[in-house]
Amino acid sequence: MNKERIIDDFIKMIKIHSPSKKEKEFADYMVNLLKELGAEIYLDNGFKNYGGNAPTIFAKIKGNIEGEGVTLAAHMDVIEPNSNVNPIIENGIIKTDGTTTLGGDDKGGIACIVETLKTLKENNISHEDIYVLLTPCEESGLQGAKNVDWTLVPENIKPAKNMLVIDNAGRAGIIAHTAPSKYDFEITFKGRKAHAGIEPEKGINAVCFAAHAISQMNIGRIDSLTTSNIGIINSNSPTNVVPDTCFVKGEIRSHSEEKILEIIKEYDLACKKAAEKFEGTYEFNYICDFPTLKPKDNLKFAKEFAAVYESLGVETELKVIGGGSDSNIFAKEGYNSIIIGVGMNNVHTVDEYLEIEELYKTTEAVIKYISK
């Protein structure tokens, strides 16, 4: 591993602006780089379904050892504001001048992948097939991963089932293996308009209707593996009109989809009872945003990678997390993912920074795992 090179590559990457739906320049950069490293490339054009401009990149580095291989995955988009990043290196971290995000989420992960491939190639290290999977639009609803047309991916380039997703916040050594499903729900409460100052009794206030229903819902931490939240309540009505419509949007996360559906039924019942009280009507719609992520091998892969970390003196922690990632989407296709970090902190904020030593540790672990 070349420590100076990995930092140089990371700096180059974060200076290429790649917000969600506008990752083409960075995707072109990565395609050219992967080709230079000897990769066979396939580009999925699912971005056309959601108005983006960059493909999901599938790459394969042919190995010289028999085996199932391994997949290295990361995402190419970053959280705004991220234009004209001014990176500052000091005290073992890389940060910005405070006007932009850094883009370490997830270009730190991509820098790790690139350095792994460069090190293996220049040192002629034997390895099984290596697959690289880089997605656009992860930060905007996992759209890149969701819109891959797997029927068009050539069989010889379909990724290996064991997948290292290098996109975890925090230090090296934390290995996330389980994550919840998330369902989004939308409720439209319908009342009746009336003049709020002259004859309010003739109206049915949809905001009050919605508030009553919500007051009967269990929101927040429901149990150790289940959470719920309402983030949007909107009627957009002038104050002199009794509002006839109120729109509510929220989410439920759980490691049990059965639990989510049970909660949805409870919420629907709360709406029904409120409708009877207020003599209004409502529409309740929900959709699975992403499924659960669970190990498919009783944590065998996670424990194998933990052993590599520990052999390098890195303390490990196998972890259940509450967020979602591309891993949840890939799980539907049978992929067995673990999510590891490279020292990114305060992600999604202008205070974001990357711990250089943690980037080194994970890159060294990935190289060692692949060259086992």
Side-chain angles (χ1 to χ4, degrees), residues 181-234:
S181 172
K182 179 169 86 79
Y183 276 59
D184 294 327
F185 64 87
E186 299 178 350
I187 315 169
T188 303
F189 295 90
K190 298 180 180 180
R192 184 169 58 242
K193 284 185 179 180
H195 194 291
I198 299 174
E199 47 186 9
E201 55 279 325
K202 290 187 176 180
I204 299 175
N205 191 311
V207 173
C208 294
F209 174 14
H212 183 80
I214 292 169
S215 72
Q216 304 304 305
M217 297 176 182
N218 189 2
I219 304 290
R221 170 66 64 184
I222 294 173
D223 60 37
S224 62
L225 297 177
T226 308
T227 61
S228 173
N229 186 56
I230 288 177
I232 297 173
I233 302 175
N234 183 27

Side-chain angles (χ1 to χ4, degrees), residues 16-29 47 50 52-55 75-78 135-140 144:
I16 302 173
H17 190 213
S18 59
S20 299
K21 298 187 179 181
K22 297 179 181 179
E23 307 94 340
K24 185 178 187 303
E25 182 182 356
F26 186 71
D28 289 345
Y29 171 84
F47 66 88
Y50 59 84
N53 70 357
H75 66 85
M76 298 183 286
D77 59 323
V78 294
T135 59
C137 215
E138 190 267 359
E139 300 286 12
S140 185

Side-chain angles (χ1 to χ4, degrees), residues 139-175:
E139 300 286 12
S140 185
L142 316 178
Q143 292 300 320
K146 286 178 180 177
N147 284 279
V148 169
D149 187 341
W150 291 94
T151 66
L152 297 179
V153 181
E155 284 299 323
N156 69 309
I157 209 169
K158 280 188 176 176
K161 292 301 183 183
N162 278 348
M163 180 181 290
L164 284 169
V165 178
I166 310 172
D167 185 28
N168 204 7
R171 66 173 179 84
I174 297 174
I175 301 172

Side-chain angles (χ1 to χ4, degrees), residues 217-281:
M217 297 176 182
N218 189 2
I219 304 290
R221 170 66 64 184
I222 294 173
D223 60 37
S224 62
L225 297 177
T226 308
T227 61
S228 173
N229 186 56
I230 288 177
I232 297 173
I233 302 175
N234 183 27
S235 77
N236 199 30
S237 175
T239 59
N240 64 347
V241 177
V242 175
D244 67 338
T245 303
C246 184
F247 176 77
V248 173
K249 187 171 183 178
E251 66 163 54
I252 306 169
R253 299 184 188 223
S254 181
H255 293 270
S256 165
E257 292 194 42
E258 291 79 9
K259 179 67 174 181
I260 293 176
L261 295 174
E262 176 186 316
I263 294 167
I264 285 172
K265 286 183 180 179
E266 293 174 1
Y267 288 2
D268 187 64
L269 180 60
C271 294
K272 183 179 179 181
K273 289 181 177 179
E276 292 171 353
K277 177 179 175 65
F278 283 81
E279 298 182 349
T281 61

Side-chain angles (χ1 to χ4, degrees), residues 263-317:
I263 294 167
I264 285 172
K265 286 183 180 179
E266 293 174 1
Y267 288 2
D268 187 64
L269 180 60
C271 294
K272 183 179 179 181
K273 289 181 177 179
E276 292 171 353
K277 177 179 175 65
F278 283 81
E279 298 182 349
T281 61
Y282 70 95
E283 293 179 2
F284 194 124
N285 296 298
Y286 62 90
I287 189 170
C288 179
D289 189 31
F290 49 78
T292 55
L293 170 67
K294 294 181 180 179
K296 301 182 185 301
D297 61 354
N298 197 30
L299 290 176
K300 180 176 181 290
F301 181 34
K303 290 176 179 178
E304 283 179 355
F305 201 81
V308 174
Y309 266 137
E310 288 167 0
S311 72
L312 298 171
V314 178
E315 181 183 353
T316 61
E317 178 184 356

